[in-house]
Amino acid sequence: MNMKKPLVILNGFVHDFAAGIWLAVMATIVALHRAHSGLPEIAPVLNGLERRFFWVSIAAMVAIMATGAGRTFTYVDNWYGPDAEKVRRRMLVLKHIFLVGFFSAGYVYVYDMVFY
């Protein structure tokens, strides 16, 4: 049995799942920080959770990048036809530029919350 196709599909699933985990963890960090902002008695417990979630987000980012690199090597050329592929490639480049900015802004935003 040829394992290449199932592995390519699994790589895509892991990539998307890791991206979802990253977003959920970042939202959780913000929610935890807001929860303890007015309650200093619970801050030490929630600060520890924020730090753990921050490192989970780093692990998710590593998985996103590793599986994204895997997608680069398994990219199917001209799936939609030559004209559509040109547009698709440009859109992929723009999407990744946007997402790098989004991920960076997310870390800038939560870093002070976690390590203040």
Side-chain angles (χ1 to χ4, degrees), residues 13-60:
F13 287 163
V14 171
H15 184 78
D16 295 341
F17 189 68
I21 288 172
W22 183 88
L23 184 58
V25 168
M26 296 301 264
T28 301
I29 290 170
V30 172
L32 287 173
H33 190 75
R34 287 181 181 166
H36 77 70
S37 291
L39 302 168
E41 62 275 6
I42 65 169
V45 174
L46 294 184
N47 284 341
L49 285 173
E50 286 176 5
R51 285 184 185 92
R52 284 185 184 172
F53 280 123
F54 181 83
W55 293 112
V56 168
S57 79
I58 296 293

Side-chain angles (χ1 to χ4, degrees), residues 103-116:
F103 285 128
S104 299
Y107 279 119
V108 167
Y109 184 67
V110 302
Y111 187 84
D112 283 339
M113 291 180 188
V114 175
F115 298 106
Y116 62 93

Side-chain angles (χ1 to χ4, degrees), residues 53-93:
F53 280 123
F54 181 83
W55 293 112
V56 168
S57 79
I58 296 293
M61 182 57 64
V62 169
I64 292 166
M65 290 182 180
T67 55
R71 278 183 161 183
T72 301
F73 297 112
T74 59
Y75 185 79
V76 177
D77 218 9
N78 291 321
W79 179 262
Y80 298 104
D83 292 335
E85 278 301 319
K86 287 179 186 176
V87 174
R88 183 172 182 249
R89 284 178 187 261
R90 271 188 259 135
M91 291 178 74
L92 280 170
V93 169

